[in-house]
Amino acid sequence: MRSSGKNNKIAVVDLETGSILYKELTMDMAQHIGGAAVNTLLLKEYSHQTPLVLGTGPLTGGFAPGSCLMVASFYSDDKKICHLPVVVKSGVMLKLSEIDFALFLGRSQKDCVVVVEKGRICIEPADDLAGLSIPQTVKQLNSRGIQEIALMAGPNSTDPHGAAGTAVFGGFDRCGLAGFMKSKNICAIVLKGGGKIPFAAKDLQEDRHLTAQIKKQLPKQKSMSVLEKMVDCNLAKDLVKKYFRHSHACFHCPVGCINFLQYPKKHRESSNNEDTAKGVFILDHQGFAALCKKRPQDAHIFMGRAMALGLDPQALSEKLDPGTGFDQAIAQMENVATAQRKEQNNVMDNIPHGISGDVYHRFGGALPQIRPQNSKEPFGTWEERVAFAMIVGVCPIPLLLQLISPTALIPFITRDQSQAKIYHSNLEKSIKMVLN
Ligand code: SF4
């Protein structure tokens, strides 16, 4: 690995034949920095082979806050390019497998699990995963010695409201990645890198400074770090206050916005379903807030159920009736899961003024809808901030919460002033390309 934190390597996997080809990044790709921008170039180059691209940025796996990011890119049904942020530690694991980008072409003949590890990529059978819920799939993969599950299509991946996610944490998929994975017969993608990513000594100092700054700005109640800035989510705040037990942070993130909410005692004791376990991790705050409007007392239980079934909680909130009893509502939810609905998710209808509905949807359709206050700064709008994060390889949420500015992250890429100017101008071009 080179000292810049880049491997400069692309793995091209043909799912039909199982063959794998390794390529170097071209000069043009290097000028587009990484992440969603390079993914776009790769999608265009292989467009005739229905590619799925996983990519990292130069900051992924390093000391920049929230450097966990991997970007999953694909052409949606309407031929638009979608870039889904995948957090927890996916990007780091991809980088540690000594590649920066992985392309999956064509379609596997049978359901499969793709395992990417240092020096090799294996396509393993998935016969034992048929019909299993997400927690059951995790358990089954664990029994094969697999822990690092970056993406799972889920048992309802053919449903229009199927949502891909990272094991029990869920994710930000309201743009159809689950169905796209299923169309390639990929049930899960496992990333098992190992070793260390080199870093510049000054990165450590910079990181301490930024982390301290971020921590100072976080609310006293850590569980509110995202909800505090979202509008129209008082019911979600009330439920979090009642059931919050601890927060979970992705790789190298001082924000730790993933809330673990415990289920009520009665539910924990009466449940004989391992899907529901003790509680639920909430990463998709928008989806949770939507469910809370319909079920202010027990939305977290419904969230857990939706995640176990691999379904989008926001789409389900539109189907739930606040007047139905608990068991009836759960049954209604499962009917929704199995029915083949025709209508598409209408995430674009509810986007706040000032955020492009089209761009919001193409970045997954589930990121917090928080408009930055001073959009005159460089890369200051919601769209530019998310595109910036998705190119350099950090989680967009700390940037949307305005805990950190894009310019504060540039020193992790270069400290040379003339180099920084070139980077800035390349970033502008790359962001434009990704947003077009
Ligand atoms: S802000 Fe939240 S989702 Fe993003 S990296 Fe940090 S903990 Fe993960």
Side-chain angles (χ1 to χ4, degrees):
M1 181 180 290
R2 300 180 190 181
S3 58
S4 64
K6 273 182 168 183
N7 299 293
N8 289 320
K9 223 192 221 179
I10 306 163
V12 184
V13 182
D14 184 331
L15 291 167
E16 272 158 49
T17 62
S19 69
I20 299 153
L21 180 84
Y22 290 97
K23 293 178 23 164
E24 292 277 312
L25 249 72
T26 62
M27 278 295 272
D28 184 34
M29 288 173 186
Q31 280 180 359
H32 281 85
I33 319 281
V38 175
N39 283 11
T40 301
L41 299 179
L42 289 167
L43 281 178
K44 288 182 177 166
E45 185 180 340
Y46 290 90
S47 59
H48 53 293
Q49 288 168 285
T50 54
L52 167 64
V53 189
L54 306 180
T56 59
L59 297 186
T60 308
F63 272 94
S67 62
C68 58
L69 190 83
M70 176 173 88
V71 182
S73 307
F74 63 102
Y75 284 101
S76 62
D77 290 347
D78 56 5
K79 307 279 176 263
K80 289 187 173 173
I81 293 179
C82 292
H83 299 290
L84 184 77
V86 187
V87 292
V88 187
K89 54 181 171 179
S90 310
V92 194
M93 285 299 171
L94 183 59
K95 241 181 195 183
L96 286 172
S97 66
E98 294 187 340
I99 50 176
D100 292 325
F101 299 90
L103 263 115
F104 300 98
L105 307 177
R107 181 175 199 252
S108 161
Q109 286 170 14
K110 286 169 70 178
D111 280 354
C112 69
V113 176
V114 178
V115 181
V116 180
E117 49 193 324
K118 214 170 194 162
R120 66 185 194 135
I121 298 177
C122 306
I123 298 171
E124 298 188 357
D127 307 331
D128 54 339
L129 307 180
L132 298 187
S133 69
I134 297 283
Q136 288 165 340
T137 307
V138 171
K139 217 170 161 188
Q140 188 66 17
L141 288 174
N142 289 169
S143 73
R144 289 196 207 172
I146 289 174
Q147 305 291 337
E148 310 295 352
I149 307 159
L151 275 171
M152 299 169 80
N156 289 291
S157 50
T158 53
D159 187 284
H161 300 315
T166 303
V168 293
F169 296 104
F172 300 111
D173 178 23
R174 289 201 239 293
C175 63
L177 178 64
F180 189 76
M181 284 173 69
K182 184 63 194 163
S183 74
K184 301 174 95 53
N185 282 336
I186 298 176
C187 297
I189 297 175
V190 174
L191 302 170
K192 293 201 313 191
K196 289 180 183 162
I197 295 175
F199 61 91
K202 283 194 173 165
D203 287 359
L204 200 53
Q205 274 170 284
E206 197 85 41
D207 167 57
R208 285 193 185 128
H209 169 68
L210 284 179
T211 300
Q213 258 189 1
I214 289 175
K215 285 190 171 165
K216 253 192 238 162
Q217 297 173 75
L218 288 173
K220 272 203 188 105
Q221 286 175 294
K222 217 176 174 189
S223 57
M224 293 294 139
S225 54
V226 172
L227 289 174
E228 183 192 67
K229 299 261 173 93
M230 278 170 47
V231 293
D232 196 17
C233 62
N234 285 340
L235 294 171
K237 285 180 188 164
D238 290 345
L239 202 62
V240 168
K241 280 178 195 154
K242 194 164 173 194
Y243 292 110
F244 175 77
R245 287 298 171 270
H246 56 86
S247 60
H248 183 87
C250 300
F251 173 82
H252 203 67
C253 181
V255 182
C257 79
I258 307 173
N259 291 331
F260 181 80
L261 303 195
Q262 193 178 48
Y263 294 147
K265 194 164 180 249
K266 199 171 147 210
H267 183 79
R268 294 196 316 267
E269 284 170 356
S270 67
S271 175
N272 57 2
N273 185 341
E274 78 266 35
D275 287 354
T276 47
K278 291 182 179 156
V280 60
F281 288 100
I282 312 274
L283 165 64
D284 171 7
H285 298 280
Q286 287 290 154
F288 177 63
L291 269 179
C292 285
K293 285 185 189 163
K294 291 289 180 73
R295 304 289 310 199
Q297 306 302 325
D298 51 14
H300 58 319
I301 299 174
F302 282 79
M303 185 89 182
R305 199 72 200 120
M307 283 166 60
L309 295 170
L311 287 168
D312 166 18
Q314 181 168 292
L316 281 165
S317 73
E318 287 158 20
K319 306 284 163 199
L320 281 175
D321 174 354
T324 47
F326 183 79
D327 291 338
Q328 198 186 349
I330 288 278
Q332 192 176 328
M333 176 178 268
E334 296 190 355
N335 287 339
V336 168
T338 47
Q340 290 296 307
R341 290 186 306 273
K342 293 267 188 307
E343 79 268 37
Q344 286 300 307
N345 195 350
N346 62 351
V347 285
M348 283 161 71
D349 295 348
N350 303 313
I351 308 303
H353 178 69
I355 301 177
S356 150
D358 175 57
V359 174
Y360 184 77
H361 176 70
R362 291 197 293 115
F363 281 138
L367 282 170
Q369 297 167 1
I370 301 167
R371 273 179 61 202
Q373 293 303 303
N374 183 2
S375 59
K376 295 220 166 68
E377 280 180 74
F379 315 124
T381 64
W382 189 97
E383 294 85 339
E384 287 167 341
R385 285 199 168 214
V386 176
F388 171 91
M390 302 274 272
I391 291 169
V392 300
V394 294
C395 173
I397 294 176
L399 289 158
L400 293 176
L401 297 173
Q402 290 190 281
L403 296 168
I404 188 170
S405 77
T407 40
L409 295 176
I410 299 292
F412 289 100
I413 302 173
T414 178
R415 289 182 174 85
D416 178 292
Q417 288 306 309
S418 50
Q419 279 269 332
K421 268 191 189 159
I422 299 172
Y423 246 102
H424 198 278
S425 124
N426 286 346
L427 266 167
E428 282 179 335
K429 286 182 208 146
S430 298
I431 288 173
K432 222 177 240 176
M433 181 183 78
V434 167
L435 293 179
N436 271 336

